[in-house]
Amino acid sequence: MTQSSWELTKQRSAYHFDNFKFDPDQDKVTYLGNVDPFWQDELANIIQLAKPKTWRTRGKEGNERPANEYEEEDYDLEQFGYGKDYVISDLSWKVPETFNKVALWFGMDNCKMRLHVQRPGQVWNLHLDKLEKWNLEDPARVMRVMIALNDWEPGHFWSYGNHVHTAWRAGDVTTFDWQNLPHSTANAGHGPRITLQITGVVTDKTRDFLRILRSRSPYCV
């Protein structure tokens, strides 16, 4: 019998999974600072680059997941009523070169960037990330960062545990406890939610930059 990806990832999470509990140490998004937006002229191109993706097609071409992972995720999608072929967001692993400097700022090892353009009606359902593959020996060093590329609009939201994150500004930089925190995002608004996602292994250079980012916000190029 196919196993549930949701149930498997919950087993290694330390989250409380109490719908009516709010723990400020867990139910939160972590604000890291703000980058002065330099990408306004790129937004139309970014929207064009991103293409509709499902859970099965969300990954970078050539980086296939084990077959059982797809089966476990498909099982959940069918059980929850989404259907395995629904579109979660428009995505692109091809990122304009102007963002290469951002990857250098963060100084992560094995750094990957992905553009998220979540259009009205698209939903990335509640889940726990599986980022262990970035650093199997020490998964705690893996970090996932989101940079908002456009301002929040009513109808846009992220959930981090029982916390609902809204009202961000373009350039806001956030992260979260990916190992433990269930999260989701949806667009019930009128325009796209555009985000740059960066994932990699934290280094001393990363820690140095985060200290600078916190003290010089907005961080100007």
Side-chain angles (χ1 to χ4, degrees):
M1 179 179 176
T2 303
Q3 297 189 82
S4 163
S5 177
W6 172 245
E7 294 299 331
L8 288 171
T9 51
K10 280 176 67 177
Q11 290 173 17
R12 53 91 162 143
S13 169
Y15 184 64
H16 58 73
F17 293 101
D18 181 340
N19 293 351
F20 298 98
K21 176 180 178 179
F22 186 87
D23 182 345
D25 291 328
Q26 290 189 309
D27 297 294
K28 65 179 182 178
V29 60
T30 301
Y31 178 74
L32 298 175
N34 182 280
V35 174
D36 191 38
F38 59 83
W39 50 77
Q40 291 90 336
D41 293 340
E42 293 280 1
L43 287 181
N45 181 39
I46 288 169
I47 292 172
Q48 187 175 21
L49 282 173
K51 304 302 179 187
K53 300 294 182 181
T54 67
W55 270 88
R56 273 187 172 258
T57 61
R58 72 190 188 276
K60 189 174 184 179
E61 289 184 12
N63 287 1
E64 296 299 319
R65 296 169 178 267
N68 65 292
E69 279 198 23
Y70 292 119
E71 293 167 2
E72 291 158 3
E73 292 165 356
D74 285 351
Y75 174 84
D76 283 343
L77 294 172
E78 297 287 5
Q79 292 295 308
F80 299 153
Y82 293 95
K84 64 184 180 182
D85 295 321
Y86 89 101
V87 175
I88 52 179
S89 189
D90 285 15
L91 305 174
S92 176
W93 288 91
K94 183 179 180 181
V95 178
E97 289 186 4
T98 187
F99 287 102
N100 289 343
K101 57 190 170 189
V102 177
L104 293 176
W105 291 344
F106 280 89
M108 295 182 183
D109 288 338
N110 194 19
C111 180
K112 301 286 191 304
M113 295 191 293
R114 181 170 67 179
L115 294 167
H116 286 229
V117 179
Q118 193 170 52
R119 300 179 185 275
Q122 294 179 342
V123 177
W124 202 305
N125 57 282
L126 189 67
H127 64 283
L128 284 144
D129 282 344
K130 307 169 188 174
L131 306 182
E132 297 90 346
K133 58 184 174 294
W134 255 268
N135 191 17
L136 290 171
E137 292 183 357
D138 188 3
R141 287 183 57 207
V142 179
M143 187 178 199
R144 172 157 284 178
V145 171
M146 280 69 64
I147 302 178
L149 300 188
N150 64 337
D151 287 341
W152 173 81
E153 299 175 12
H156 294 182
F157 75 87
W158 294 73
S159 74
Y160 292 98
N162 293 341
H163 168 70
V164 178
H165 176 48
T166 60
W168 55 81
R169 293 282 189 175
D172 279 356
V173 185
T174 57
T175 189
F176 67 105
D177 180 8
W178 67 265
Q179 289 180 289
N180 297 298
L181 197 57
H183 55 285
S184 64
T185 182
N187 186 345
H190 298 164
R193 175 190 63 81
I194 310 173
T195 308
L196 176 67
Q197 181 190 84
I198 308 172
T199 309
V201 180
V202 170
T203 66
D204 288 340
K205 184 175 180 180
T206 310
R207 298 182 187 95
D208 289 342
F209 175 68
L210 292 179
R211 281 191 287 269
I212 294 170
L213 183 62
R214 292 186 183 100
S215 64
R216 289 170 51 192
S217 189
Y219 181 81
C220 298
V221 179

